[in-house]
Protein backbone atom coordinates (compact mmCIF):
# COMPACT_ATOMS: atom_id res chain seq x y z
CA UNK A 1 0.00 0.00 0.00
CA UNK A 2 2.97 2.30 0.49
CA UNK A 3 3.90 1.80 -3.17
CA UNK A 4 0.25 2.15 -4.26
CA UNK A 5 0.06 5.60 -2.70
CA UNK A 6 3.37 6.84 -4.15
CA UNK A 7 3.54 9.11 -7.16
CA UNK A 8 6.30 6.88 -8.55
CA UNK A 9 5.34 3.20 -8.21
CA UNK A 10 8.48 2.01 -9.98
CA UNK A 11 6.37 0.58 -12.80
CA UNK A 12 7.97 -0.87 -15.93
CA UNK A 13 7.15 -3.41 -18.64
CA UNK A 14 8.49 -6.96 -18.56
CA UNK A 15 9.65 -8.87 -21.65
CA UNK A 16 6.08 -10.07 -22.25
CA UNK A 17 4.85 -6.43 -22.18
CA UNK A 18 2.96 -6.93 -18.91
CA UNK A 19 3.52 -4.32 -16.17
CA UNK A 20 5.41 -4.86 -12.93
CA UNK A 21 5.93 -2.50 -10.00
CA UNK A 22 8.06 -2.32 -6.87
CA UNK A 23 5.06 -3.72 -4.97
CA UNK A 24 5.02 -6.94 -7.05
CA UNK A 25 8.64 -7.62 -6.21
CA UNK A 26 8.48 -6.61 -2.53
CA UNK A 27 5.35 -8.69 -1.82
CA UNK A 28 6.80 -11.72 -3.60
CA UNK A 29 10.08 -11.54 -1.67
CA UNK A 30 8.17 -11.30 1.63
CA UNK A 31 5.85 -14.21 0.81
CA UNK A 32 8.66 -16.47 -0.40
CA UNK A 33 10.61 -15.87 2.81
CA UNK A 34 7.58 -16.52 5.04
CA UNK A 35 6.50 -19.65 3.15
CA UNK A 36 10.06 -21.00 3.22
CA UNK A 37 9.92 -20.64 7.00
CA UNK A 38 6.43 -22.11 7.42
CA UNK A 39 6.54 -24.82 4.74
CA UNK A 40 10.22 -25.39 3.96
CA UNK A 41 9.66 -28.60 1.98
CA UNK A 42 6.97 -27.23 -0.33
CA UNK A 43 8.20 -25.64 -3.58
CA UNK A 44 6.81 -22.20 -4.46
CA UNK A 45 6.14 -21.07 -8.02
CA UNK A 46 5.83 -17.26 -8.02
CA UNK A 47 5.12 -14.92 -10.93
CA UNK A 48 8.11 -12.61 -10.83
CA UNK A 49 10.58 -15.41 -10.10
CA UNK A 50 9.11 -17.42 -12.98
CA UNK A 51 9.56 -14.40 -15.26
CA UNK A 52 13.29 -14.65 -14.46
CA UNK A 53 13.29 -18.37 -15.24
CA UNK A 54 13.33 -19.42 -11.56
CA UNK A 55 10.79 -22.26 -11.24
CA UNK A 56 11.68 -25.01 -8.75
CA UNK A 57 10.87 -28.59 -9.68
CA UNK A 58 7.56 -29.83 -8.32
CA UNK A 59 6.37 -33.43 -8.29
CA UNK A 60 3.94 -33.29 -5.37
CA UNK A 61 2.20 -30.50 -3.51
CA UNK A 62 3.38 -26.99 -4.39
CA UNK A 63 2.38 -23.36 -3.86
CA UNK A 64 1.44 -20.80 -6.51
CA UNK A 65 1.92 -17.10 -5.74
CA UNK A 66 0.75 -14.03 -7.59
CA UNK A 67 2.11 -11.17 -5.49
CA UNK A 68 -0.03 -8.58 -7.28
CA UNK A 69 -2.91 -9.72 -9.48
CA UNK A 70 -4.37 -6.80 -11.38
CA UNK A 71 -1.20 -4.76 -11.78
CA UNK A 72 -2.94 -2.63 -14.43
CA UNK A 73 -5.59 -1.72 -11.86
CA UNK A 74 -2.85 -1.02 -9.31
CA UNK A 75 -0.97 1.31 -11.68
CA UNK A 76 -4.23 3.09 -12.54
CA UNK A 77 -4.89 3.44 -8.78
CA UNK A 78 -8.07 1.42 -8.96
CA UNK A 79 -8.74 -0.58 -5.80
CA UNK A 80 -9.45 -4.01 -7.35
CA UNK A 81 -6.05 -5.69 -7.16
CA UNK A 82 -5.28 -8.75 -5.08
CA UNK A 83 -2.56 -10.92 -3.57
CA UNK A 84 -3.08 -14.61 -4.41
CA UNK A 85 -1.66 -17.71 -2.72
CA UNK A 86 -2.77 -21.29 -3.42
CA UNK A 87 -1.72 -24.80 -2.43
CA UNK A 88 -1.95 -27.24 -5.35
CA UNK A 89 -1.97 -31.01 -5.01
CA UNK A 90 -2.68 -33.66 -7.66
CA UNK A 91 -3.56 -31.00 -10.19
CA UNK A 92 -6.17 -29.27 -8.01
CA UNK A 93 -6.03 -26.09 -5.89
CA UNK A 94 -6.74 -27.54 -2.44
CA UNK A 95 -6.55 -24.27 -0.49
CA UNK A 96 -6.21 -20.64 -1.40
CA UNK A 97 -6.39 -17.05 -0.21
CA UNK A 98 -7.25 -13.89 -2.15
CA UNK A 99 -6.54 -10.63 -0.35
CA UNK A 100 -7.63 -7.20 -1.61
CA UNK A 101 -5.68 -4.83 0.65
CA UNK A 102 -7.12 -1.60 -0.77
CA UNK A 103 -10.63 -2.95 -0.11
CA UNK A 104 -9.70 -4.48 3.25
CA UNK A 105 -11.24 -7.81 2.25
CA UNK A 106 -9.96 -11.39 2.39
CA UNK A 107 -11.45 -14.53 0.85
CA UNK A 108 -9.99 -17.94 1.67
CA UNK A 109 -10.98 -21.55 1.23
CA UNK A 110 -9.95 -25.13 1.84
CA UNK A 111 -12.62 -27.55 3.01
CA UNK A 112 -14.98 -24.53 3.21
CA UNK A 113 -14.78 -20.94 1.95
CA UNK A 114 -14.97 -17.71 3.94
CA UNK A 115 -14.90 -13.93 3.62
CA UNK A 116 -13.71 -11.53 6.29
CA UNK A 117 -12.85 -7.85 6.49
CA UNK A 118 -9.18 -7.38 7.34
CA UNK A 119 -7.25 -4.15 7.01
CA UNK A 120 -3.56 -4.18 5.99
CA UNK A 121 -1.31 -4.67 8.99
CA UNK A 122 -4.06 -5.89 11.30
CA UNK A 123 -4.45 -9.38 12.71
CA UNK A 124 -6.91 -11.78 11.09
CA UNK A 125 -10.28 -11.39 12.86
CA UNK A 126 -11.47 -14.27 15.02
CA UNK A 127 -13.38 -17.12 13.38
CA UNK A 128 -16.68 -15.85 14.77
CA UNK A 129 -16.37 -12.93 12.35
CA UNK A 130 -15.77 -15.07 9.27
CA UNK A 131 -18.68 -15.29 6.84
CA UNK A 132 -19.06 -18.69 5.24
CA UNK A 133 -19.51 -18.60 1.47
CA UNK A 134 -21.71 -20.70 -0.79
CA UNK A 135 -22.05 -20.34 -4.54
CA UNK A 136 -25.69 -20.12 -5.53
CA UNK A 137 -27.69 -22.59 -7.63
CA UNK A 138 -28.36 -21.61 -11.22
CA UNK A 139 -31.04 -18.88 -11.15
CA UNK A 140 -34.16 -19.66 -13.15
CA UNK A 141 -34.50 -16.12 -14.48
CA UNK A 142 -31.04 -15.94 -16.09
CA UNK A 143 -27.36 -15.73 -15.20
CA UNK A 144 -25.17 -12.90 -13.97
CA UNK A 145 -21.80 -12.96 -15.74
CA UNK A 146 -18.57 -11.56 -14.34
CA UNK A 147 -16.45 -9.80 -16.96
CA UNK A 148 -12.98 -8.33 -16.82
CA UNK A 149 -12.24 -4.65 -16.47
CA UNK A 150 -9.21 -4.99 -18.76
CA UNK A 151 -9.58 -8.18 -20.82
CA UNK A 152 -13.09 -8.38 -22.34
CA UNK A 153 -12.69 -9.69 -25.90
CA UNK A 154 -14.67 -11.01 -28.88
CA UNK A 155 -14.29 -14.66 -27.81
CA UNK A 156 -15.80 -13.85 -24.40
CA UNK A 157 -18.64 -11.92 -26.00
CA UNK A 158 -19.37 -14.80 -28.38
CA UNK A 159 -19.33 -17.34 -25.55
CA UNK A 160 -21.68 -15.31 -23.37
CA UNK A 161 -24.09 -14.93 -26.30
CA UNK A 162 -24.79 -18.69 -26.01
CA UNK A 163 -25.80 -18.43 -22.35
CA UNK A 164 -28.99 -17.02 -20.81
CA UNK A 165 -27.27 -13.92 -19.42
CA UNK A 166 -29.51 -11.34 -17.75
CA UNK A 167 -26.78 -9.01 -16.46
CA UNK A 168 -23.03 -8.43 -16.38
CA UNK A 169 -20.80 -7.29 -13.52
CA UNK A 170 -17.28 -5.94 -13.93
CA UNK A 171 -14.43 -6.66 -11.54
CA UNK A 172 -10.66 -6.70 -11.64
CA UNK A 173 -8.20 -9.48 -10.84
CA UNK A 174 -9.29 -12.61 -8.93
CA UNK A 175 -12.30 -10.83 -7.45
CA UNK A 176 -14.41 -12.35 -10.23
CA UNK A 177 -13.97 -15.83 -8.73
CA UNK A 178 -14.74 -14.46 -5.28
CA UNK A 179 -17.95 -12.73 -6.34
CA UNK A 180 -19.23 -16.04 -7.72
CA UNK A 181 -18.18 -17.79 -4.49
CA UNK A 182 -20.20 -15.18 -2.57
CA UNK A 183 -23.31 -16.01 -4.62
CA UNK A 184 -23.38 -12.60 -6.31
CA UNK A 185 -22.79 -13.91 -9.85
CA UNK A 186 -22.92 -17.18 -11.76
CA UNK A 187 -20.32 -17.45 -14.52
CA UNK A 188 -16.97 -15.98 -15.56
CA UNK A 189 -15.39 -17.03 -18.87
CA UNK A 190 -11.79 -16.18 -19.78
CA UNK A 191 -10.30 -16.90 -23.19
CA UNK A 192 -7.24 -14.68 -23.11
CA UNK A 193 -3.85 -15.81 -21.80
CA UNK A 194 -3.37 -16.34 -18.07
CA UNK A 195 -0.98 -18.27 -15.83
CA UNK A 196 -1.73 -20.70 -13.05
CA UNK A 197 -0.74 -18.20 -10.36
CA UNK A 198 -3.42 -15.83 -11.72
CA UNK A 199 -6.24 -18.32 -11.16
CA UNK A 200 -5.36 -20.94 -8.53
CA UNK A 201 -6.27 -18.96 -5.39
CA UNK A 202 -9.61 -17.71 -6.71
CA UNK A 203 -10.30 -21.18 -8.10
CA UNK A 204 -9.63 -22.70 -4.64
CA UNK A 205 -12.05 -20.28 -2.98
CA UNK A 206 -14.74 -20.94 -5.58
CA UNK A 207 -14.36 -24.74 -5.38
CA UNK A 208 -14.53 -24.57 -1.58
CA UNK A 209 -17.78 -22.60 -1.92
CA UNK A 210 -19.28 -25.36 -4.10
CA UNK A 211 -18.49 -23.93 -7.52
CA UNK A 212 -16.29 -25.24 -10.32
CA UNK A 213 -13.73 -24.10 -12.87
CA UNK A 214 -13.93 -25.98 -16.17
CA UNK A 215 -12.54 -25.86 -19.69
CA UNK A 216 -14.94 -24.55 -22.35
CA UNK A 217 -15.49 -28.23 -23.20
CA UNK A 218 -16.69 -28.95 -19.67
CA UNK A 219 -13.57 -30.84 -18.52
CA UNK A 220 -11.81 -30.25 -15.18
CA UNK A 221 -9.30 -27.39 -15.14
CA UNK A 222 -5.91 -28.71 -14.02
CA UNK A 223 -2.75 -27.23 -12.51
CA UNK A 224 0.94 -28.14 -12.49
CA UNK A 225 1.58 -27.62 -16.21
CA UNK A 226 5.34 -27.09 -15.88
CA UNK A 227 5.98 -28.13 -19.51
CA UNK A 228 3.76 -25.23 -20.63
CA UNK A 229 5.50 -22.76 -18.28
CA UNK A 230 2.34 -22.83 -16.12
CA UNK A 231 0.28 -21.20 -18.88
CA UNK A 232 -3.49 -21.72 -18.72
CA UNK A 233 -5.84 -22.41 -21.56
CA UNK A 234 -9.37 -20.93 -21.68
CA UNK A 235 -11.61 -21.59 -18.69
CA UNK A 236 -15.09 -20.94 -17.36
CA UNK A 237 -15.74 -20.40 -13.64
CA UNK A 238 -19.25 -21.45 -12.57
CA UNK A 239 -21.20 -21.16 -9.37
CA UNK A 240 -23.33 -24.13 -10.42
CA UNK A 241 -21.73 -26.91 -12.47
CA UNK A 242 -25.01 -27.47 -14.33
CA UNK A 243 -24.28 -24.27 -16.28
CA UNK A 244 -21.79 -26.36 -18.28
CA UNK A 245 -24.68 -27.72 -20.37
CA UNK A 246 -24.66 -24.40 -22.24
CA UNK A 247 -20.98 -24.66 -23.24
Amino acid sequence: MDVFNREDQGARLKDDASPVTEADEAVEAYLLAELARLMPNTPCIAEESAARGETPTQNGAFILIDPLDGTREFVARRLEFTINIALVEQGEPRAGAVYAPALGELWFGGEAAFHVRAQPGEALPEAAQWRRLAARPEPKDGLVAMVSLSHFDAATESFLARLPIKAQMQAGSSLKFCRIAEGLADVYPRFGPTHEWDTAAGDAVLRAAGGAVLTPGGDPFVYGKAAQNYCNGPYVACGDRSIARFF
Side-chain angles (χ1 to χ4, degrees):
M1 292 306 297
D2 289 340
V3 176
F4 179 74
N5 291 315
R6 279 189 213 158
E7 184 174 342
D8 180 7
Q9 298 176 335
R12 67 182 191 280
L13 293 179
K14 294 186 286 190
D15 291 343
D16 64 359
S18 65
V20 63
T21 72
E22 289 182 24
D24 298 75
E25 295 167 334
V27 171
E28 180 166 304
Y30 172 80
L31 291 176
L32 287 172
E34 286 297 296
L35 288 163
R37 180 178 64 83
L38 294 166
M39 303 175 69
N41 299 316
T42 306
C44 292
I45 313 295
E47 179 180 16
E48 304 312 326
S49 300
R52 297 190 296 270
E54 302 168 12
T55 51
T57 301
Q58 50 83 15
N59 53 17
F62 67 99
I63 293 169
L64 285 165
I65 300 169
D66 190 343
L68 183 51
D69 185 33
T71 303
R72 287 180 175 84
E73 278 69 45
F74 184 91
V75 171
R77 289 187 169 78
R78 293 193 289 263
L79 305 183
E80 294 190 334
F81 59 88
T82 61
I83 299 163
N84 302 340
I85 308 174
L87 175 67
V88 174
E89 191 172 23
Q90 296 180 334
E92 297 182 7
R94 297 294 175 86
V98 176
Y99 184 45
L103 299 176
E105 294 184 79
L106 171 68
W107 297 261
F108 55 99
E111 292 183 354
F114 300 91
H115 167 270
V116 68
R117 295 201 170 273
Q119 294 299 321
E122 294 183 1
L124 182 69
E126 295 181 358
Q129 298 181 48
W130 304 355
R131 175 168 61 93
R132 187 159 180 168
L133 303 179
R136 68 187 182 187
E138 178 189 340
K140 294 179 180 175
D141 62 343
L143 308 175
V144 175
M146 295 301 310
V147 297
S148 174
L149 286 169
S150 307
H151 302 285
F152 190 79
D153 54 21
T156 302
E157 186 174 17
S158 176
F159 178 84
L160 290 176
R162 306 202 303 267
L163 277 62
I165 303 298
K166 67 177 180 182
Q168 295 184 3
M169 293 173 56
Q170 283 190 325
S173 66
S174 294
L175 295 177
K176 294 178 283 292
F177 294 97
C178 298
R179 300 305 184 206
I180 298 174
E182 289 183 278
L184 300 176
D186 305 293
V187 63
Y188 160 47
R190 178 66 185 264
F191 290 86
T194 62
H195 287 85
E196 294 186 16
W197 45 77
D198 295 311
T199 59
D203 187 344
V205 172
L206 179 54
R207 293 189 197 206
V213 178
L214 307 169
T215 71
D219 296 321
F221 196 65
V222 298
Y223 292 82
K225 302 180 292 294
Q228 289 81 44
N229 295 317
Y230 299 94
C231 291
N232 288 328
Y235 62 83
V236 185
C238 304
D240 187 333
R241 186 181 287 267
S242 70
I243 294 169
R245 73 185 186 279
F246 296 112
F247 297 1

